[in-house]
Amino acid sequence: MARNTPKKTEQDNVRASLIRAAYRCFTAADYDKVSIRQIAEVAGVNMAMIRYYFGNKLGLFEAMVTEYIKPIHRRAKALQQSHDKPTVADIVAEFYQTMIPNPEFPRFLFQLMSSEHSVEAKGVIYKLFQPIAELTPMPQQLLEGWGELDPQLLKMSLLSLMIFPFVMPPPMAKLHGYQLNEEFYQQLAKHNIALLEHGMSGGKR
């Protein structure tokens, strides 16, 4: 058993290197324009290793996305299983805490899903995110105390508050005086939660 450990460790390292390299490549260019040769070169391994571990480029893409959405799935599941009823603030806070370590990931997803190409890759995203969408509490369950607000419009408002800061083009952010870094996202998360809880007037009208 001990003699097999180094080999397994080496395999795990190669697989992890390929996933990291895939992340770098797929977040920098359209899925269709990324080649397995390019990913292998970034990872510093033989191109055959992609076929060995993942079958093909799409298999590696799915493994890469799966790896990076694990925290999202884990947090969504924990929120669902919590004894306390989740609030809108919980949803916003959990999303920001999950996205802050990899702020370029939402932008990558946004660009991919907005593209007219990369049909195979979009299919993977739909498949992997469906369970997360089912885990995340829907606005209808969170509307107590929100008066006559439309659930679907509330959902759009929440998506705007949570996702737009991560997909905002850097030149636009610079134009408005924002630096899209961890400190900014942490402050914005607290601000958006306060905004949802107290409104723009802070409860004073």
Side-chain angles (χ1 to χ4, degrees):
M1 178 69 79
R3 282 182 294 178
N4 292 332
T5 302
K7 185 175 181 181
K8 184 179 186 306
T9 300
E10 182 180 349
Q11 290 177 341
D12 290 343
N13 289 341
V14 171
R15 188 179 186 281
S17 295
L18 284 168
I19 288 177
R20 287 194 299 270
Y23 185 78
R24 287 178 56 188
C25 294
F26 287 128
T27 54
D30 291 341
Y31 171 85
D32 293 337
K33 295 181 180 180
V34 176
S35 68
I36 58 174
R37 180 183 299 277
Q38 177 187 357
I39 297 171
E41 288 177 354
V42 172
V45 301
N46 191 293
M47 194 165 56
M49 291 294 97
I50 293 177
R51 297 189 182 92
Y52 176 77
Y53 288 107
F54 308 102
N56 52 30
K57 184 175 81 167
L58 187 64
L60 173 54
F61 178 82
E62 181 169 346
M64 182 272 292
V65 175
T66 298
E67 186 68 25
Y68 280 89
I69 68 173
K70 278 180 181 178
I72 304 174
H73 189 273
R74 185 167 57 247
R75 286 178 178 271
K77 192 170 184 179
L79 199 60
Q80 185 198 50
Q81 295 175 345
S82 173
H83 294 298
D84 299 323
K85 184 178 180 180
T87 66
V88 172
D90 292 331
I91 302 297
V92 174
E94 288 295 317
F95 180 84
Y96 272 87
Q97 289 305 311
T98 304
M99 288 296 103
I100 284 173
N102 298 291
E104 68 279 354
F105 191 66
R107 186 177 295 116
F108 149 71
L109 290 176
F110 179 80
Q111 291 173 343
L112 173 65
M113 300 309 283
S114 300
S115 170
E116 296 179 359
H117 310 290
S118 309
V119 177
E120 288 184 332
K122 289 181 190 176
V124 167
I125 299 300
Y126 279 119
K127 181 178 76 172
L128 294 179
F129 273 83
Q130 186 62 38
I132 295 174
E134 292 172 355
L135 280 173
T136 303
M138 296 301 290
Q140 288 90 333
Q141 300 171 281
L142 302 172
L143 278 178
E144 292 182 7
W146 288 80
E148 300 299 322
L149 291 178
D150 184 289
Q152 282 300 104
L153 295 180
L154 175 58
K155 181 179 180 180
M156 178 58 75
S157 297
L158 291 175
L159 289 174
S160 300
L161 284 173
M162 293 189 297
I163 297 176
F164 181 73
F166 292 96
V167 301
M168 186 180 192
M172 182 184 292
K174 184 177 180 180
L175 178 66
H176 291 281
Y178 301 125
Q179 292 186 11
L180 302 180
N181 53 33
E182 181 175 348
E183 181 181 2
F184 169 75
Y185 290 126
Q186 293 281 9
Q187 292 177 344
L188 185 61
K190 294 177 181 178
H191 166 80
N192 282 340
I193 290 171
L195 182 66
L196 288 167
E197 291 179 339
H198 306 294
M200 291 187 69
S201 63
K204 301 175 181 178
R205 294 184 182 275

